[in-house]
Amino acid sequence: MTDFKDDKSKSASGSKSFKDQILNELEEANRLKGIQDDGTVKSIVESLNTESSREIDPDFNWQEAAAKLKEQQEAAAKSAEQEQKLALKEARAIKKIQEEEHIRELNPLGEELEETEPLEESSAYASTASTLTSETIAPEIADVDLSGFTVPIPIQDIHSAIPEVFSSESPKDEGAFEEEELQPSSEKHQAQKQTSSSLDSDSAFADGSDSDTTVEAGLNWNSDDEEDSDAWEETSKSSRRKASKRKQKQKKKKRLARRITGWIIFLILLIILAGGGYGYYYVSSSLAPLDTHSNKYVSVEIPKGAGGKQIGQILQKKGIIKDANVFNYYTKFKNYSNLKSGYYNLKASMSTDEIIKELQAGGTAEPTDPNSGKIVIPEGYTLEQIAKAIEDNSNTKVKGDKTPYSSKDFLKLVKNKDFINKMKEKYPKLLADLPDSDKAKYQLEGYLFPATYNYTKDTSLEDLVDQMLGTMDSYLADYYDKIGQSKYNVNETLALASLVEKEGQTDEDRSKIASVFYNRLDADMPLQSNIAVLYALGKLGDKTSLKEDANIDTDVDSPYNDYKNKGLMPGPVDSPSLSAIEAVVNPADTKYLYFVADVETGKVYYSETYEEHEKNVDTYVNKKTSDSSDKN
């Protein structure tokens, strides 16, 4: 290799130009050492000032400097690529946060929506990454072994060879980065080319210290780039943490919204149930009696053509019912359309159904005194039982509600001769054949018709008994003529009817039993009915066992003992029903002389002979009563 010291004098004399000298030395190096130049060094040499008279440093290692420069530029490119990836990742995170915030603004209830698709890589990023190659950076110095050269070839400053995009300074703010991110790749490529071409061709390494400083600067840039990368990573983590916190808050809001919605639904259902329960209670209470303890009658006038609504309003105004609308709807629901006009005496203790029954029965044309109560006289009651019945007011459901009458006063009245004579004058056909007071226990026994009787505050006890006698007289009015044509008078007819009332349970049996009694009377046989004997003993109407009924004392000394005495008793023993009276007036045509009832089933068995009757008695009475006593 030519000694550079000798060439130094040549250079000074100007025999060869400085440019030619370097090229010759390069060719010599290529020939002797086989170094292949890729054109980088040659391009640098071509740019030198041919008239430069700078000396070549014989100790400068061209090969090492070129390698360091190339390594520095590759590291810068790699760091820039990593930085760009981090920036892209951070931009995605920021954009995702912004989208989530926008979603929260649109969805304040915190409902969970489908996550958005990941952002596609922008073409700007792709083009930017593709342009950050060694071709877009300032021309590199090839890996050429120039250790033998002593010429200090001026090269571009390393800092000036690095594009601005690889600056060690981190982006000032996110907005700046996004602006660069959206820059087209072609513009970036052109900017990089301009940066590369702006290298100062007159710069050169003055000495080895300059080279070291340049390399050190490059290394410092790499260090700053790593710090920036860590900063970007820390920022990304912080953003992810913020996004995670926002997501957790969103989930909490969602759970809170669900709880609030659940409570709202629960409250709505509770209100509906409470409303339904209250409605049911209100309707039920409106149909029930307004005041169950009320005994006061109220006179109510229902005009002609009044409908359910108008009737309900009248009743509500009078204080009989609670709600007119409920009354109206109830009558429509039950299809009660036959409500009649007139005057009515109603009480607040009556239920809606009871009021409707009164309205269906019809009122009076003129106002009447309201009833204070009702007395019920069942069929087959004796006068002593009737005396107890008139004390109880059956018009209300209140147990123990009493009438203004007493049983003692009643029994005293029905024995009063003046009152009886007064009634004889008023009902001559009915009471014409009353038994004598010394023979009959009660003269009016069997003459008070069993029925339900109303009374008012002005109704006296005499009025009440008069009403009972008048009812019996009205029912017998259709039979007086036929009774008059028979051989039995009204008193005897009622006496037979009182026995038939207790002996038979059905109309058919009563008609047959009446025929048995008539057959026995015609045959001059005693009637032999236990009913008359029980009356004589004072036990008629009392609850007795089968054994007591079968073993009664038939030897009792009484005109009512129809076992010992032939014919009829002095008078009736109870108040017969219209069915029993009808059976006696129109009896069946039979030849039966005997009958006996099964003590268990009540079925009546008839016979014409005593032997047959004895068998029936043994089968349906004696055996069953003995079996019953054995069990007891």
Side-chain angles (χ1 to χ4, degrees):
M1 181 180 291
T2 306
D3 189 358
F4 281 100
K5 291 182 180 181
D6 295 338
D7 291 337
K8 192 175 182 180
S9 59
K10 293 179 182 180
S11 177
S13 60
S15 60
K16 278 188 180 180
S17 67
F18 184 66
K19 175 180 177 181
D20 293 336
Q21 184 179 359
I22 292 175
L23 293 175
N24 290 335
E25 290 295 333
L26 181 59
E27 291 177 1
E28 183 65 20
N30 291 340
R31 184 178 64 82
L32 295 177
K33 296 185 178 182
I35 297 174
Q36 299 295 329
D37 181 19
D38 59 357
T40 302
V41 177
K42 187 174 182 180
S43 63
I44 295 174
V45 174
E46 289 290 342
S47 65
L48 293 177
N49 189 352
T50 55
E51 296 181 357
S52 177
S53 60
R54 296 180 182 179
E55 293 183 358
I56 300 175
D57 186 1
D59 296 327
F60 183 76
N61 191 340
W62 285 89
Q63 189 176 17
E64 182 180 353
K68 287 183 178 181
L69 179 60
K70 185 175 181 180
E71 181 181 355
Q72 179 180 347
Q73 292 175 340
E74 290 178 352
K78 184 175 181 182
S79 177
E81 185 177 358
Q82 293 178 351
E83 181 181 348
Q84 217 168 20
K85 289 182 179 180
L86 291 173
L88 178 60
K89 188 174 183 181
E90 179 66 18
R92 290 176 178 172
I94 293 171
K95 189 169 183 180
K96 186 174 183 180
I97 292 170
Q98 291 175 345
E99 289 178 351
E100 290 177 351
E101 291 177 351
H102 181 62
I103 290 172
R104 284 195 299 275
E105 291 176 359
L106 295 177
N107 187 22
L109 292 178
E111 296 179 359
E112 186 174 359
L113 301 176
E114 295 183 358
E115 295 185 359
T116 56
E117 295 293 333
L119 296 174
E120 295 182 0
E121 294 187 6
S122 174
S123 59
Y125 286 114
S127 60
T128 303
S130 64
T131 57
L132 296 177
T133 60
S134 60
E135 294 178 358
T136 61
I137 307 174
E140 301 177 0
I141 298 178
D143 188 12
V144 181
D145 187 7
L146 300 177
S147 59
F149 289 94
T150 59
V151 180
I153 301 175
I155 63 175
Q156 295 171 323
D157 189 278
I158 294 175
H159 291 287
S160 62
I162 301 172
E164 292 181 3
V165 72
F166 299 120
S167 173
S168 61
E169 297 180 3
S170 61
K172 294 181 180 179
D173 55 284
E174 296 177 357
F177 182 84
E178 291 178 357
E179 198 172 312
E180 180 183 356
E181 182 183 29
L182 298 175
Q183 183 180 3
S185 60
S186 60
E187 294 180 3
K188 288 189 176 183
H189 184 69
Q190 184 66 24
Q192 291 170 357
K193 283 188 176 182
Q194 291 176 0
T195 304
S196 176
S197 61
S198 64
L199 297 174
D200 187 5
S201 59
D202 293 335
S203 62
F205 292 104
D207 50 23
S209 61
D210 294 339
S211 176
D212 294 338
T213 303
T214 303
V215 174
E216 184 178 357
L219 295 174
N220 290 338
W221 185 89
N222 289 334
S223 176
D224 293 341
D225 183 67
E226 292 177 0
E227 292 177 359
D228 291 343
S229 176
D230 294 339
W232 276 110
E233 185 176 355
E234 184 66 27
T235 303
S236 178
K237 290 181 179 179
S238 176
S239 299
R240 287 194 297 271
R241 284 195 297 270
K242 290 180 180 179
S244 177
K245 288 181 179 179
R246 289 192 187 99
K247 192 172 183 180
Q248 290 177 358
K249 289 181 179 179
Q250 189 176 7
K251 288 182 178 180
K252 289 181 180 179
K253 289 181 179 178
K254 183 179 178 181
R255 287 195 295 268
L256 180 60
R258 286 179 178 174
R259 289 179 182 176
I260 293 173
T261 303
W263 277 106
I264 291 174
I265 294 173
F266 173 75
L267 291 175
I268 291 173
L269 293 175
L270 186 62
I271 291 171
I272 292 173
L273 292 175
Y278 176 76
Y280 176 80
Y281 166 78
Y282 185 82
V283 171
S284 299
S285 63
S286 298
L287 297 176
L290 185 62
D291 184 3
T292 56
H293 301 287
S294 176
N295 293 322
K296 181 181 178 181
Y297 279 91
V298 179
S299 179
V300 179
E301 180 185 7
I302 305 299
K304 291 183 179 181
K309 185 176 182 181
Q310 185 178 358
I311 294 174
Q313 291 173 349
I314 294 172
L315 295 176
Q316 182 178 355
K317 187 176 180 180
K318 290 287 186 177
I320 304 300
I321 62 173
K322 181 178 181 179
D323 193 298
N325 291 325
V326 174
F327 179 87
N328 182 32
Y329 294 141
Y330 185 72
T331 55
K332 289 181 178 179
F333 178 75
K334 290 287 188 177
N335 198 24
Y336 293 139
S337 58
N338 55 339
L339 305 182
K340 299 177 182 179
S341 61
Y343 289 91
Y344 297 88
N345 293 318
L346 304 174
K347 293 192 298 183
S349 59
M350 301 173 68
S351 67
T352 302
D353 288 326
E354 291 174 341
I355 294 172
I356 291 173
K357 288 181 180 178
E358 292 287 338
L359 295 175
Q360 288 176 333
T364 59
E366 297 293 334
T368 58
D369 292 336
N371 297 327
S372 298
K374 292 181 180 180
I375 296 174
V376 177
I377 307 300
E379 298 170 344
Y381 261 31
T382 65
L383 273 177
E384 291 180 354
Q385 288 178 302
I386 294 174
K388 294 179 181 179
I390 64 170
E391 291 185 348
D392 296 329
N393 180 11
S394 61
N395 194 42
T396 63
K397 297 180 180 180
V398 179
K399 189 176 181 180
D401 189 11
K402 299 296 183 179
T403 67
Y405 316 112
S406 68
S407 60
K408 184 178 179 180
D409 293 338
F410 175 81
L411 292 176
K412 184 178 179 180
L413 178 64
V414 295
K415 287 185 176 181
N416 187 288
K417 291 183 178 180
D418 294 335
F419 174 73
I420 293 174
N421 291 330
K422 182 180 179 180
M423 293 298 104
K424 280 184 177 181
E425 293 179 0
K426 189 172 183 179
Y427 307 105
K429 290 185 178 181
L430 177 65
L431 303 178
D433 302 312
L434 279 178
D436 295 336
S437 59
D438 57 344
K439 294 181 179 179
K441 189 175 182 180
Y442 296 102
Q443 284 183 288
L444 295 180
E445 182 78 75
Y447 285 84
L448 306 183
F449 191 81
T452 299
Y453 298 94
N454 297 324
Y455 64 90
T456 67
K457 61 180 181 179
D458 298 326
T459 303
S460 65
L461 189 57
E462 290 184 5
D463 295 334
L464 185 62
V465 176
D466 186 3
Q467 188 178 355
M468 294 178 181
L469 290 171
T471 305
M472 178 65 80
D473 183 64
S474 64
Y475 279 115
L476 289 179
D478 295 336
Y479 301 104
Y480 282 140
D481 291 341
K482 193 169 185 179
I483 293 173
Q485 296 174 3
S486 69
K487 58 182 179 180
Y488 298 101
N489 60 31
V490 173
N491 182 61
E492 293 171 336
T493 301
L494 291 177
L496 281 175
S498 66
L499 297 179
V500 172
E501 176 66 33
K502 293 289 188 179
E503 294 285 6
Q505 301 298 322
T506 66
D507 292 344
E508 182 181 359
D509 283 337
R510 285 172 176 172
S511 180
K512 289 181 179 180
I513 291 171
S515 71
V516 170
F517 288 143
Y518 280 124
N519 291 336
R520 292 179 72 88
L521 289 173
D522 292 340
D524 195 26
M525 298 174 62
L527 296 180
Q528 294 185 336
S529 172
N530 289 2
I531 303 301
V533 177
L534 289 172
Y535 183 81
L537 295 172
K539 295 181 179 180
L540 186 62
D542 295 343
K543 290 182 179 180
T544 58
S545 65
L546 297 176
K547 185 177 181 180
E548 290 174 341
D549 290 341
N551 297 301
I552 60 173
D553 184 9
T554 57
D555 294 330
V556 60
D557 186 13
S558 171
Y560 289 93
N561 187 348
D562 58 357
Y563 274 85
K564 294 176 66 176
N565 304 313
K566 295 181 180 180
L568 290 167
M569 307 85 68
V573 294
D574 59 51
S575 296
S577 64
L578 187 61
S579 173
I581 295 172
E582 171 68 25
V584 172
V585 174
N586 297 304
D589 185 10
T590 70
K591 295 181 180 181
Y592 297 134
L593 294 173
Y594 305 94
F595 70 90
V596 64
D598 189 324
V599 294
E600 290 183 353
T601 64
K603 185 177 179 180
V604 182
Y605 295 90
Y606 304 92
S607 57
E608 296 181 4
T609 64
Y610 182 74
E611 291 77 10
E612 187 179 358
H613 175 64
E614 283 293 313
K615 291 180 181 179
N616 290 337
V617 171
D618 185 60
T619 302
Y620 301 111
V621 178
N622 295 336
K623 287 184 177 180
K624 291 189 176 182
T625 53
S626 62
D627 292 341
S628 176
S629 60
D630 292 341
K631 290 180 180 179
N632 293 333

